[in-house]
Amino acid sequence: MIKPTTTSERIIEAQPSTEHRLSDKTLIIFDWDGTLMDSIGLIVESMHVAGEAHGFETTDKAVKDIIGLSLMNGIKILYPQANDVQLIAIQQTYAEHYIANSHSTPLFEPIERMLQTLQQQGKTLAVATGKKRKGLDRVLDASDSHDYFAITRCADESGSKPDPQMLTDILDYTQQQIADAVFIGDSIYDIQMATALGMTSIAVDYGTATSAELAAQNPTIHVETPQALVDLLCR
C-alpha cells in the first residue's frame, strides 16, 4: 500500500506511535487538482489551447510542472516572453476552455467514498488549492462536494503555493495544531508547503509530478494510486 522508497515511510510503518501516526490526525487537508479530481488532462489541454491562441507553445511536461501554482504565476513561468496584455488574454482563454469542458473532470473513482468514510469517523476535512475561488466553487458545485469540507482555501485568498499561508489559515479556522494535521497533494509545491510548517505530508503519484520528483521532496508518506490513498487513510 505504501511504497517502501524512503526512510520516513519505513519509520511510519515500523513506529505507528510517532508524530506522523495517521490515526491520530483529526484534520485532513487535500489539494484538489490531481489529488481529489481527475483534472490534469484538461488543465494541460486548456493551457495548450490558450497559449497557441495567442502565438505561444509549450510542452505537456512544462504545464504539469506549474500545476499547483496560482494560474497567473504558472502562465508567467510557461510564457516568460508574453507581455501583460498577452498574459491576461492567455488566462482568459484558458478559463473559457476549461469551464466549457469541465464536465469531463470527475473525482477519482474511490475518492467520494473516502470522503464519506472520513467524515463519518469524525475527521475534519479541508482543501488547499492553487485554483481561484470562483474555479473551486464551480467544481465543488459540479461534484456536489461542498458539504465534505469545513473550510477551503484558494491561491487568490492566501497566496500561491508553496507559501504555507493556506495551511495556516485552515489551522486557525479549525483551531487545530500542526501536529493534528496531514496534507495530501500531487505536486512538489504541495509537499514543499507542508514541509515549510513541519506538517505530515502524503505525496500521491497519480497527478502532476513523477514519483522521483515527489520523493526528492521527502514527503512523510508516498502512495501510488487513489485506492492506495483510500486504504491508507481509512484503515
Side-chain angles (χ1 to χ4, degrees):
M1 179 168 51
I2 302 174
K3 299 188 302 179
T5 57
T6 71
T7 301
S8 62
E9 291 170 33
R10 290 192 291 272
I11 289 173
I12 297 299
E13 288 298 286
Q15 301 178 25
S17 61
T18 67
E19 61 180 314
H20 298 298
R21 183 174 177 178
L22 293 179
S23 60
D24 293 337
K25 304 300 182 183
T26 52
L27 173 61
I28 303 176
I29 310 171
F30 298 93
D31 168 58
W32 187 265
D33 290 308
T35 300
L36 296 181
M37 179 164 276
D38 188 7
S39 52
I40 302 304
L42 180 57
I43 292 171
V44 172
E45 175 187 299
S46 299
M47 192 59 76
H48 281 307
V49 168
E52 290 167 11
H54 300 283
F56 300 100
E57 292 187 356
T58 188
T59 66
D60 289 358
K61 180 65 168 62
V63 177
K64 289 180 180 179
D65 284 347
I66 58 88
I67 294 174
L69 299 175
S70 67
L71 178 57
M72 183 52 77
N73 281 359
I75 291 171
K76 288 178 179 177
I77 290 171
L78 289 174
Y79 310 115
Q81 67 275 46
N83 61 38
D84 289 347
V85 172
Q86 291 169 322
L87 291 171
I88 293 170
I90 292 169
Q91 179 178 244
Q92 182 62 34
T93 303
Y94 171 93
E96 291 170 353
H97 185 86
Y98 188 95
I99 292 168
N101 294 276
S102 58
H103 60 277
S104 64
T105 56
L107 295 176
F108 287 104
E109 191 279 325
I111 291 298
E112 186 164 13
R113 185 174 72 253
M114 176 190 71
L115 297 175
Q116 292 170 349
T117 299
L118 293 172
Q119 196 173 57
Q120 290 165 2
Q121 292 174 350
K123 305 291 187 180
T124 299
L125 308 182
V127 169
T129 176
K131 283 185 174 299
K132 289 186 174 182
R133 169 52 59 187
K134 286 184 179 180
L136 180 63
D137 284 347
R138 184 171 56 251
V139 295
L140 286 169
D141 287 341
S143 59
D144 196 23
S145 301
H146 273 286
D147 291 343
Y148 291 120
F149 305 108
I151 178 175
T152 60
R153 296 300 284 170
C154 300
D156 56 343
E157 299 166 331
S158 299
S160 181
K161 300 173 184 178
D163 184 328
Q165 185 62 48
M166 281 189 274
L167 297 183
T168 57
D169 286 352
I170 290 169
L171 291 169
D172 290 345
Y173 180 86
T174 59
Q175 297 187 317
Q176 301 207 50
Q177 303 301 310
I178 292 171
D180 301 324
V182 56
F183 182 64
I184 302 152
D186 66 309
S187 78
I188 62 171
Y189 309 111
D190 292 325
I191 307 308
Q192 289 170 356
M193 183 169 70
T195 300
L197 290 184
M199 184 180 290
T200 299
S201 61
I202 301 175
V204 300
D205 277 359
Y206 51 82
T208 59
T210 67
S211 179
E213 288 168 339
L214 289 168
Q217 300 301 319
N218 296 311
T220 313
I221 304 172
H222 211 145
V223 298
E224 293 180 319
T225 65
Q227 186 60 55
L229 179 64
V230 172
D231 293 343
L232 178 66
L233 291 177
C234 296
R235 64 183 177 184

